[in-house]
Amino acid sequence: MGEQKNEDIIKDTFPQYKQEPQDAPAEIHHITQNGLVSKTADGSPKEEPGPENVFQVTIKLPHKPYEIQITVSTQEQIQDLRQSIMESPGTFQYSCFHLEHKGVRVNDFVELSEVKGFTAGSEFNLVEDPYTEKEARMHLIRIREIIGATSERVDSVHGIAAGLSLHDTFCPWDGPEGKSASNGTAQSAGSYDAGNALAGYDLDGPPNLQSLTSPQQEPSSKTIKSLGVSAWNPPPPYLRQQGHLLYLQLTTNEGEHFQITSHVTGFYVSKSSNSKFDPFPRPSPKNAFAHSLFSLISILSPSFNKAFGTLLEANNKRDPLVNFQLTNAIPASPWLVTEASTSLSHHQSDLTRTQEAHLMSGIEGNETMRDWNEEIQSTKELPRATVQERVFRERLISKIFAEFTDAAARGATLVARCEVAPLNPTEAEDAQIFVYNNIFYSFGADGVGTFTSEGGDEAARVAVGKDAMGVKAVNQLDVAGLATAGTIVVDYLGKRIVAQSIVPGIFKQREPGEHQVDYGGVEGRDVVADNETFVPYFSQVSKALKVKPHPVWDKEKKRHDLEGSVETKGLLGTDGRKYILDLYRLTPLDVSWLEQHCGDAVDVKNDSNGAKYPHRMAVLRPELVESYWRLKMSSYVKEQVESKRKAIKNGSASQILQGTERTIVNGEKHEEAGDLSNGIEEQDPDLSLVTKPEEVSRPDDDQERVDISAFSLALNPDVFCGQEPQTDEEREEWTKDEQQVRAVCDHLHHTVFPELLNDLREGEVGFPMDGFSLSRLLHKRGINIRYLGKLAHIADKDARGDALKAMAIQEMISRAFKHVTYRYLRKLPSMFTTNCLAHLLNCLLGTGLNSAPKASLDEDLKIFYPEADFTYTKASPQSIISDIKAQVQLRYRYVLDDQWTQDIKHIQLLRSVSLKLGLQLVARDYHFDTESYSQDAQPNATVNGKDLHPAVNGHVQTNGGSKKKKKHTVDGPLPSTNESLSANRRATFCSDDIANIIPLIKDSCPKSTVAEEALEAGKISVMQNQKEIGQELLLESLTLHEQIYGILHPEVARVYHQLAMLYFQLDEKAAAIELAHKAVIISERTLGVDASETILSYLNLALFEHGNRNTVIAVSCVRHALELWKIVYGPKHPDCMTTLNNAAVMLQQLQKYHDSRIWFEKSLSISEEISGNSSVNTATLLFQLAQALVLDGDHKGAVHRMKEAYSIFLAKLGPEDVNTKESEKWLEQLTQNAVSMAKHAKDVQARRIRRVLFNPRAAHLGARPQPQAGQLPANIVNGSDSRTTGGLDSRSIDELMKFIEGGGDISKSTSPKKRNARGNPRRRGGASIGSNA
């Protein structure tokens, strides 16, 4: 399977793969996902074996061009072949057809290999089928999209510009040949200068928010004026019996109107008009008929074919991935949108847009009604014995979960806007439940008092989020026979809504004496059910999640032995399936946190400072439990190894296994680290894949293996939860369980936190770019977000530590503001939310421009909502700042200083808040202080024309909007025109700035295990330097990812990224660049145009393009990435030094030597600030800057910088280090060159001009650009040069420097000392700097 699919990918995806790669710079730095830097390895292009199961088939067509050739694989299904036909340029008019092979109809769901008599070169006949009403509707929708007749849809879930990609704006790309990349035109560099996109770029300047939006494009060519459903639709029953399906109306670009009848045989022009109904064909010669609507339009409109060709040409200029519709992933909605998207002219008239619901779901609207729970469970129960079955099953699982997530999110937005009637309208609002589209909805609040003792609404809100995580974890385990409900959590308009598939029997009224659930706690901890049939299934979950089987006691003190937490429930559905529910307590409570900040672990009391943590749902993260498990396993293995050593009395003790032991526990592979201090070496990550030679030759292999069957570690999730053991033995066991949980908490504080800080300090992990990457980093280490305050407290007292502390504080502030905002929004009608949010943003970020902003409220509209909560109008900057400070102290145990509002980064905090609240703001230059406002203000603003804002960079501003009827501040009557203008212009935000609010979704879709297995195997093979096997496995993983997830998915982007890195290391630059472009586009569309992963993808793409001599486009990518970096973090990110170095090297490639010098100096200044003036990193950058100064003609400055580098290397690394020796050699050469030039200058001044012989080695520095950081030109590294005509000056470096600076005597000289060192002084420093990239 792997070989044939890999060849399929190489042939179809990488047609340029066998081309001879161009030469690349000697060394390149790659910024990886975790911020580490890797270096390319030299490799020669290799030829892959020819494809064995990939070939072409012929498709015979009923119309022109009558036949086409399509490349297929025997593993593809007939439906894949059908899809290829429908997507081919010459055959996309076909949608209702079947295929025949040798006159026999072929089932769409069989593989090509199963078709009888199918061989390479076989022919299929395409046979047009009669339409059904559904197929006719789908055909109409598809043709409208193909010919560009659809207007922009209004989507309440995905928002404005969802799935936006800026790739084609900043790095246009003409394919693997890179024609546009290397032609040097202005188009190649995006919107910047043709030769140098970094020209004039201010690294410390304000961020340009327009870089997050796509430039306004010219409207695409219109192929027709309109196409939609006619007013005569639907056909009456007597005509439906004659085959009439739909009635359509078409208006061509020529202005002609046609009434079209959709018949089972195709489409024809009818005799109907707007006032007359006659759906039968026109008589000749005005009659027209075609099986495809596309063909009929081309017959009726003479200009259609030309206009359609123009449309195709325009679409082909963009990468196809930019236009593809996302299917199995949620498109990323940008937090900034263009101002044009909120203008009235942007919304176009399209009658068919109102008919799409009918076209999609039919007249009755029942086609979209689905039994979600049955579909999910049936899909999960598909067979999975073979790889093909696993792929097919996981592909359907990914599809059904994506469809459920989309449908559930749409229903949740309707529930939040009160557009769905509750099933229990007499209950309190928080207790109301809803059913919409066969999905069950409830609020994430304690409406019925379930969490009263745990913290009420706060605990309920946390519990539903943890439940979604638990469902996802159980789904990932994929225990056969155990079902979970489809679950997502949606945050929208201040409300948290839980959407679940309806479990059969969950609403069933049980008989007297029967429990509502069959396993676990029924009514809290008072009543416990223990159905033995659930034990085998729950035990598998508990074993995998390190949960200890343990007893619990009900209110009658009766003991019940459970496999999981008492809160985890089992339900036997009426469909016979066993469901696991309420998975919010899969791990124990964080007892150290609760005891310190929530009073006693059982009896909650106020903290010493009077601020009690808001809830008791503080549980440990699964990653922390896994980390502790690995630690204890490592200790166990070491003990076993040591005991075996002591037990061995003969001389074979030296053959005892050293290093790590790869074991299999609970069906999973685990690695136990050896004791490196005792000489135990760490072995390869996966010993199961590769057998080492020394392992084969060892005779005592059985003695070298560690039996871990006796090792066991599992945690009791119900300790510290009020359980009362009844016997001494039970109490003793319970005490041990409590001690084990405390040990995990100690592991968090005494091991995990120090390791994290050390890794950040040493650059072992990439420094986070924003709050999201910081949160992701903490979660991967098993650290909860509530520890942000501790992270800020213990951060190092240096530049990197200060940056980490500032980022943690910003994240705490944004999260606190989210909680404050939710409090105002929960009871507020949706039409007032923009006014509320604008006012709260002004109170947080706009006080520098207006210290007393006024809230807007339409009093006439307010009277329609007497029960609404309008307390936001009373909010002031002082109250908001006080609330945020209180929330930070309450939730994170961190006290903000009184001046924290002066230290915030406005743009970065605005972005963080917008992403957490789901805001889409108009992209304009927001003024946060009076100075920036006065610089951009214009006196000629008007009111009636709505030109209330200055044009910044050619972009009209809309801060404040026009004066609106009945709209005024809450403190007084409507002001005069001038007063209104002044008040509006003096506010940073207004309601018009909030273009949209989107729901934030947490899903429970599992990852593909079969694709992940191939990916991990490929990564391990690469780590073991088996690149060919690794390439094969990664290609296989890419195929599986694309088949299971679809192309547009974050997991696919990750594989594209890793495969691109491998190809580049193998010198397959064209294929690497193509994959890198795809990774950028998919990251933008699924993660966000300014996500940290997207920025890293752009930086790696720039390095790949530079390595392929497409430096113009590489520089454009670097500039865009730096602009994004500035918006996301701000200037001087601790890890940006390598990026600036790479930019400098790219500028040298473009022969922009002076600009290159400036960028090296910027990198050096940041290194001095982050790493210190005397660090090895700084010395390395000084070395590089000295060489850049030579290229720029500043020989005196080059000597100064090289001397500084030499001094640092000498002090830090010693005189014998290769870096010190090489820098000393360079210093001598540079000094000799500078002395010669100084003597020449003195001779000129004294009019004693004489010929000066320059050292060819030093002069050669200006002959070629400086290579990438960490690499020297080959002819410069050599210690000698046959063309050298003069010796080196014997004077000391200090004397030579004094002469260069204008004093001293240079008359004495002796022969130089020989230097044989060939090392690279940037090698060690480069590695250190690389860790910062």
Side-chain angles (χ1 to χ4, degrees):
M1 173 180 176
E3 184 174 343
Q4 57 198 27
K5 295 304 291 184
N6 296 341
E7 294 299 332
D8 189 15
I9 291 177
I10 294 173
K11 187 169 184 178
D12 294 342
T13 309
F14 315 135
Q16 79 290 0
Y17 152 75
K18 294 184 179 180
Q19 293 180 358
E20 186 70 17
Q22 301 179 26
D23 293 333
E27 186 173 294
I28 204 84
H29 287 72
H30 299 282
I31 305 176
T32 59
Q33 288 286 351
N34 59 3
L36 299 178
V37 171
S38 60
K39 299 179 181 179
T40 60
D42 291 334
S44 58
K46 66 182 191 312
E47 297 292 333
E48 293 290 331
E52 298 178 358
N53 296 327
V54 178
F55 40 78
Q56 287 189 335
V57 297
T58 302
I59 308 297
K60 296 291 185 179
L61 306 173
H63 310 291
K64 289 183 179 181
Y66 298 114
E67 74 173 40
I68 60 172
Q69 303 288 329
I70 293 183
T71 302
V72 296
S73 166
T74 55
Q75 295 177 345
E76 294 183 5
Q77 294 183 345
I78 294 297
Q79 62 178 351
D80 298 324
L81 179 58
R82 279 178 51 93
Q83 191 66 27
S84 299
I85 295 173
M86 294 169 62
E87 293 175 356
S88 299
T91 56
F92 47 52
Q93 67 268 29
Y94 297 103
S95 66
C96 185
F97 62 91
H98 70 268
L99 296 176
E100 293 184 354
H101 182 254
K102 296 182 178 179
V104 179
R105 179 166 182 163
V106 184
N107 191 303
D108 290 344
F109 298 96
V110 301
E111 291 187 358
L112 289 172
S113 58
E114 300 176 7
V115 177
K116 186 177 181 180
F118 177 76
T119 58
S122 293
E123 293 184 354
F124 286 92
N125 290 324
L126 187 150
V127 181
E128 296 173 335
D129 284 338
Y131 287 94
T132 64
E133 188 212 356
K134 180 178 180 180
E135 289 171 336
R137 287 189 278 108
M138 295 300 104
H139 184 78
L140 172 61
I141 294 174
R142 183 169 180 272
I143 294 301
R144 275 173 48 86
E145 293 179 348
I146 289 176
I147 66 177
T150 57
S151 60
E152 186 171 346
R153 293 184 174 92
V154 179
D155 198 318
S156 61
V157 173
H158 300 153
I160 302 172
L164 173 67
S165 174
L166 303 177
H167 169 271
D168 290 350
T169 303
F170 295 97
C171 52
W173 185 63
D174 286 346
E177 294 80 7
K179 296 178 182 178
S180 69
S182 58
N183 57 14
T185 63
Q187 192 179 22
S188 298
S191 58
Y192 309 114
D193 294 344
N196 179 13
L198 292 173
Y201 180 74
D202 186 2
L203 195 64
D204 299 322
N208 178 21
L209 297 184
Q210 302 300 327
S211 60
L212 292 184
T213 61
S214 59
Q216 189 172 3
Q217 300 177 351
E218 296 182 1
S220 57
S221 174
K222 292 186 69 68
T223 56
I224 59 173
K225 289 187 176 180
S226 67
L227 173 63
V229 179
S230 168
W232 299 113
N233 201 66
Y238 67 93
L239 291 178
R240 182 177 295 275
Q241 297 176 7
Q242 300 182 30
H244 292 206
L245 303 176
L246 297 174
Y247 298 133
L248 313 177
Q249 57 184 5
L250 166 70
T251 303
T252 65
N253 282 343
E254 292 80 10
E256 294 190 67
H257 301 272
F258 296 95
Q259 295 285 336
I260 298 175
T261 297
S262 172
H263 194 263
V264 292
T265 58
F267 299 84
Y268 62 81
V269 178
S270 72
K271 294 183 287 186
S272 297
S273 65
N274 290 336
S275 57
K276 176 187 174 182
F277 179 61
D278 188 355
F280 295 100
R282 282 184 179 182
S284 180
K286 295 184 178 182
N287 62 332
F289 169 83
H291 186 267
S292 170
L293 187 57
F294 180 91
S295 302
L296 181 62
I297 297 174
S298 63
I299 295 174
L300 298 177
S301 175
S303 63
F304 173 77
N305 288 334
K306 181 179 179 181
F308 183 69
T310 304
L311 177 65
L312 283 181
E313 183 179 353
N315 290 337
N316 289 336
K317 292 180 180 179
R318 309 184 69 189
D319 192 288
L321 291 178
V322 176
N323 297 322
F324 284 169
Q325 184 177 359
L326 281 81
T327 55
N328 288 3
I330 301 173
S333 298
W335 67 278
L336 286 176
V337 297
T338 59
E339 193 171 21
S341 62
T342 62
S343 64
L344 299 180
S345 60
H346 183 74
H347 193 64
Q348 300 295 322
S349 173
D350 183 10
L351 182 62
T352 310
R353 184 169 51 213
T354 65
Q355 304 166 347
E356 283 188 347
H358 156 63
L359 294 174
M360 295 295 295
S361 58
I363 299 176
E364 304 297 332
N366 294 327
E367 293 182 13
T368 57
M369 296 293 293
R370 303 166 64 176
D371 188 344
W372 293 106
N373 188 75
E374 181 61 31
E375 288 191 41
I376 291 174
Q377 310 310 332
S378 299
T379 303
K380 294 171 69 175
E381 292 168 355
L382 290 172
R384 44 181 160 176
T386 65
V387 175
Q388 289 81 0
E389 289 177 346
R390 291 179 63 189
V391 171
F392 180 72
R393 175 177 176 270
E394 292 184 0
R395 178 181 182 181
L396 291 184
I397 287 177
S398 177
K399 181 177 183 292
I400 186 62
F401 270 100
E403 293 172 350
F404 171 78
T405 299
D406 184 74
R410 295 183 187 281
T413 59
L414 297 177
V415 171
R417 293 200 296 261
C418 303
E419 297 182 16
V420 179
L423 298 180
N424 53 344
T426 59
E427 301 287 341
E429 182 178 348
D430 288 342
Q432 291 178 348
I433 57 177
F434 309 82
V435 172
Y436 180 81
N437 195 12
N438 279 341
I439 300 175
F440 174 73
Y441 296 93
S442 60
F443 291 109
D446 191 24
V448 295
T450 304
F451 297 94
T452 301
S453 62
E454 308 293 331
D457 289 345
E458 288 282 356
R461 182 182 182 87
V462 174
V464 296
K466 297 292 184 183
D467 182 48
M469 291 177 52
V471 173
K472 189 170 188 175
V474 174
N475 285 339
Q476 193 65 50
L477 295 177
D478 204 9
V479 177
L482 189 62
T484 58
T487 305
I488 71 165
V489 175
V490 177
D491 290 320
Y492 185 60
L493 300 181
K495 304 178 181 69
R496 172 160 286 190
I497 299 169
V498 188
Q500 296 174 301
S501 62
I502 301 176
V503 176
I506 196 170
F507 296 122
K508 176 185 176 182
Q509 293 296 327
R510 301 295 181 106
E511 296 295 331
E514 278 190 315
H515 297 313
Q516 195 66 28
V517 297
D518 299 285
Y519 191 80
V522 180
E523 299 173 3
R525 295 184 294 267
D526 294 339
V527 180
V528 180
D530 47 3
N531 190 330
E532 293 299 325
T533 60
F534 283 84
V535 172
Y537 305 98
F538 274 56
S539 63
Q540 296 182 57
V541 175
S542 299
K543 193 174 183 180
L545 298 179
K546 316 297 186 296
V547 177
K548 179 180 180 179
H550 61 279
V552 297
W553 297 266
D554 58 20
K555 62 181 179 180
E556 304 295 336
K557 308 302 181 183
K558 181 181 177 181
R559 171 171 171 158
H560 302 268
D561 292 320
L562 298 180
E563 291 291 332
S565 169
V566 68
E567 305 292 347
T568 304
K569 301 172 177 58
L571 175 67
L572 185 61
T574 56
D575 57 356
R577 297 186 178 99
K578 296 178 178 63
Y579 292 87
I580 183 171
L581 307 172
D582 293 350
L583 296 166
Y584 52 84
R585 279 272 303 279
L586 295 177
T587 54
L589 294 175
D590 187 353
V591 60
S592 63
W593 178 273
L594 293 178
E595 288 181 343
Q596 184 177 0
H597 304 298
C598 214
D600 185 79
V602 177
D603 299 325
V604 179
K605 298 179 181 179
N606 286 349
D607 210 358
S608 58
N609 58 8
K612 183 178 66 175
Y613 195 64
H615 61 82
R616 296 192 71 253
M617 292 301 300
V619 298
L620 301 174
R621 289 194 64 85
E623 297 90 344
L624 178 64
V625 176
E626 183 69 20
S627 171
Y628 183 73
W629 188 93
R630 291 181 180 275
L631 177 67
K632 302 303 289 184
M633 172 65 81
S634 172
S635 300
Y636 176 81
V637 171
K638 283 199 299 183
E639 292 174 1
Q640 295 297 313
V641 170
E642 291 297 329
S643 63
K644 286 194 175 187
R645 284 176 175 172
K646 294 178 181 178
I648 297 177
K649 302 300 183 180
N650 53 28
S652 61
S654 60
Q655 298 177 359
I656 294 299
L657 177 65
Q658 299 182 358
T660 60
E661 183 73 21
R662 197 69 175 176
T663 57
I664 298 180
V665 181
N666 299 338
E668 298 180 355
K669 294 179 181 178
H670 301 281
E671 180 179 347
E672 299 78 46
D675 187 356
L676 300 181
S677 62
N678 294 328
I680 300 179
E681 300 176 355
E682 185 177 1
Q683 295 186 7
D684 289 326
D686 195 333
L687 300 181
S688 63
L689 295 181
V690 180
T691 302
K692 294 191 174 183
E694 59 268 24
E695 292 179 349
V696 177
S697 61
R698 287 195 298 245
D700 300 329
D701 188 67
D702 293 338
Q703 296 179 352
E704 298 168 353
R705 298 194 177 276
V706 177
D707 181 14
I708 64 167
S709 60
F711 175 78
S712 175
L713 188 148
L715 303 178
N716 184 345
D718 286 326
V719 294
F720 306 108
C721 293
Q723 293 291 334
E724 299 179 4
Q726 299 302 303
T727 67
D728 293 340
E729 183 180 355
E730 291 172 349
R731 293 189 189 96
E732 182 180 357
E733 184 68 21
W734 202 260
T735 301
K736 292 181 180 179
D737 292 344
E738 291 179 345
Q739 292 174 351
Q740 202 164 42
V741 172
R742 290 186 186 276
V744 177
C745 297
D746 292 340
H747 172 69
L748 170 65
H749 295 283
H750 299 147
T751 303
V752 175
F753 268 110
E755 287 179 353
L756 173 64
L757 292 180
N758 182 71
D759 290 344
L760 289 172
R761 184 186 309 118
E762 300 298 330
E764 296 297 329
V765 296
F767 196 90
M769 292 186 184
D770 57 0
F772 283 89
S773 54
L774 174 62
S775 301
R776 186 168 58 251
L777 174 62
L778 295 180
H779 286 165
K780 288 178 65 175
R781 297 299 181 102
I783 303 174
N784 299 85
I785 293 298
R786 59 178 172 270
Y787 284 105
L788 279 173
K790 177 173 182 175
L791 185 65
H793 277 299
I794 66 176
D796 296 334
K797 307 301 180 183
D798 56 15
R800 293 180 72 88
D802 292 342
L804 179 64
K805 179 179 179 180
M807 183 175 294
I809 292 175
Q810 177 179 292
E811 183 68 6
M812 288 188 284
I813 292 172
S814 63
R815 288 176 177 267
F817 180 76
K818 177 188 70 174
H819 288 288
V820 172
T821 303
Y822 280 173
R823 188 180 67 202
Y824 288 111
L825 291 179
R826 282 192 63 186
K827 306 295 183 181
L828 189 67
S830 59
M831 65 284 305
F832 297 100
T833 54
T834 56
N835 290 333
C836 173
L837 290 167
H839 178 61
L840 296 180
L841 289 174
N842 282 326
C843 292
L844 175 65
L845 299 170
T847 54
L849 182 63
N850 186 348
S851 60
K854 303 298 182 181
S856 296
L857 179 63
D858 192 327
E859 296 291 344
D860 291 344
L861 190 59
K862 176 183 177 181
I863 62 177
F864 288 94
Y865 300 92
E867 298 180 357
D869 182 8
F870 295 99
T871 54
Y872 80 89
T873 59
K874 301 177 182 179
S876 64
Q878 293 75 21
S879 66
I880 295 299
I881 291 173
S882 176
D883 289 344
I884 291 175
K885 187 174 182 179
Q887 287 291 321
V888 170
Q889 182 176 1
L890 177 68
R891 298 179 182 277
Y892 309 108
R893 288 336 196 204
Y894 186 83
V895 180
L896 296 172
D897 58 50
D898 295 333
Q899 302 299 320
W900 68 267
T901 56
Q902 307 299 321
D903 300 329
I904 60 177
K905 301 177 181 178
H906 290 86
I907 292 296
Q908 288 72 34
L909 184 57
L910 175 61
R911 174 183 179 270
S912 179
V913 165
S914 299
L915 293 175
K916 287 178 173 59
L917 294 175
L919 305 184
Q920 290 190 287
L921 305 179
V922 174
R924 64 178 184 83
D925 291 341
Y926 291 99
H927 305 298
F928 301 104
D929 51 48
T930 307
E931 180 180 358
S932 63
Y933 172 79
S934 60
Q935 290 176 354
D936 291 338
Q938 294 182 359
N940 57 347
T942 63
V943 175
N944 295 333
K946 200 179 178 180
D947 291 333
L948 298 180
H949 304 281
V952 181
N953 298 331
H955 198 72
V956 180
Q957 306 301 300
T958 57
N959 187 14
S962 60
K963 185 178 70 175
K964 297 181 181 294
K965 185 178 180 181
K966 298 293 184 181
K967 194 167 187 175
H968 54 83
T969 62
V970 296
D971 291 351
L974 185 67
S976 64
T977 300
N978 292 335
E979 292 173 344
S980 175
L981 175 62
S982 176
N984 283 329
R985 290 187 53 162
R986 295 287 293 184
T988 303
F989 302 94
C990 70
S991 59
D992 291 340
D993 292 328
I994 302 174
N996 189 31
I997 305 174
I998 59 174
L1000 304 179
I1001 304 169
K1002 297 180 181 180
D1003 63 27
S1004 57
C1005 180
K1007 292 183 179 180
S1008 167
T1009 56
V1010 62
E1012 288 295 321
E1013 288 169 3
L1015 177 62
E1016 290 302 318
K1019 291 163 63 175
I1020 291 172
S1021 298
V1022 173
M1023 290 171 57
Q1024 295 175 338
N1025 204 28
Q1026 298 178 354
K1027 287 187 169 57
E1028 292 186 6
I1029 298 178
Q1031 179 184 6
E1032 192 79 12
L1033 290 171
L1034 286 175
L1035 282 171
E1036 180 67 25
S1037 175
L1038 175 61
T1039 304
L1040 295 173
H1041 276 83
E1042 291 180 339
Q1043 287 182 348
I1044 293 170
Y1045 295 115
I1047 296 180
L1048 296 176
H1049 195 280
E1051 297 298 324
V1052 178
R1054 180 162 61 98
V1055 180
Y1056 275 141
H1057 172 81
Q1058 296 177 359
L1059 197 56
M1061 295 284 291
L1062 177 63
Y1063 266 118
F1064 197 82
Q1065 292 171 1
L1066 297 176
D1067 211 20
E1068 301 284 353
K1069 297 184 179 64
I1073 291 173
E1074 181 172 356
L1075 286 172
H1077 279 278
K1078 292 178 182 293
V1080 166
I1081 297 173
I1082 299 173
S1083 297
E1084 284 184 322
R1085 301 197 63 193
T1086 59
L1087 299 172
V1089 292
D1090 58 349
S1092 57
E1093 294 91 336
T1094 303
I1095 298 175
L1096 295 175
S1097 296
Y1098 265 113
L1099 292 175
N1100 278 298
L1101 173 61
L1103 297 174
F1104 295 164
E1105 290 283 11
H1106 172 63
N1108 204 30
R1109 299 301 183 188
N1110 298 333
T1111 306
V1112 173
I1113 213 171
V1115 172
S1116 179
C1117 292
V1118 168
R1119 171 161 182 160
H1120 181 55
L1122 290 174
E1123 195 64 60
L1124 295 179
W1125 213 336
K1126 190 186 297 184
I1127 295 173
V1128 169
Y1129 175 82
K1132 298 183 179 180
H1133 187 275
D1135 282 356
C1136 69
M1137 288 178 289
T1138 297
T1139 300
L1140 301 184
N1141 269 17
N1142 289 335
V1145 172
M1146 293 175 189
L1147 291 173
Q1148 289 181 348
Q1149 180 72 24
L1150 297 175
Q1151 299 183 359
K1152 308 289 183 180
Y1153 299 128
H1154 184 69
D1155 292 342
S1156 173
R1157 163 188 178 170
I1158 294 175
W1159 282 82
F1160 274 124
E1161 291 173 343
K1162 292 177 180 178
S1163 178
L1164 175 62
S1165 66
I1166 295 177
S1167 177
E1168 291 174 342
E1169 182 178 343
I1170 300 297
S1171 304
N1173 294 332
S1174 58
S1175 67
V1176 176
N1177 285 354
T1178 300
T1180 303
L1181 292 173
L1182 286 168
F1183 188 99
Q1184 298 171 12
L1185 177 59
Q1187 295 174 329
L1189 291 174
V1190 173
L1191 290 173
D1192 195 31
D1194 187 357
H1195 299 273
K1196 182 176 178 181
V1199 174
H1200 278 285
R1201 293 302 189 181
M1202 190 61 71
K1203 181 180 180 181
E1204 293 179 32
Y1206 169 73
S1207 300
I1208 297 174
F1209 282 136
L1210 181 64
K1212 292 290 184 179
L1213 305 179
E1216 299 302 321
D1217 188 84
V1218 65
N1219 299 325
T1220 307
K1221 292 180 179 180
E1222 190 67 21
S1223 60
E1224 183 182 13
K1225 177 174 46 177
W1226 274 79
L1227 179 60
E1228 291 174 350
Q1229 295 298 315
L1230 293 176
T1231 303
Q1232 179 70 23
N1233 191 36
V1235 168
S1236 300
M1237 296 192 66
K1239 295 174 79 173
H1240 182 271
K1242 285 188 176 183
D1243 290 344
V1244 171
Q1245 290 179 355
R1247 298 187 181 277
R1248 291 182 291 105
I1249 301 178
R1250 58 187 175 87
R1251 184 180 180 186
V1252 178
L1253 298 177
F1254 292 96
N1255 189 318
R1257 285 181 57 196
H1260 183 73
L1261 293 175
R1264 65 176 60 185
Q1266 172 70 26
Q1268 184 66 359
Q1271 179 69 27
L1272 288 174
N1275 55 349
I1276 297 179
V1277 176
N1278 293 333
S1280 61
D1281 194 321
S1282 60
R1283 298 172 298 171
T1284 302
T1285 57
L1288 298 178
D1289 199 298
S1290 63
R1291 292 275 181 144
S1292 68
I1293 295 176
D1294 291 334
E1295 291 174 337
L1296 294 175
M1297 289 296 300
K1298 184 177 180 181
F1299 174 81
I1300 294 172
E1301 292 170 357
D1305 187 9
I1306 195 67
S1307 59
K1308 299 179 180 180
S1309 64
T1310 57
S1311 59
K1313 297 180 180 180
K1314 293 184 179 180
R1315 305 289 181 180
N1316 296 323
R1318 297 294 184 268
N1320 190 337
R1322 290 168 294 179
R1323 184 174 303 149
R1324 177 170 178 176
S1328 301
I1329 295 175
S1331 65
N1332 295 330

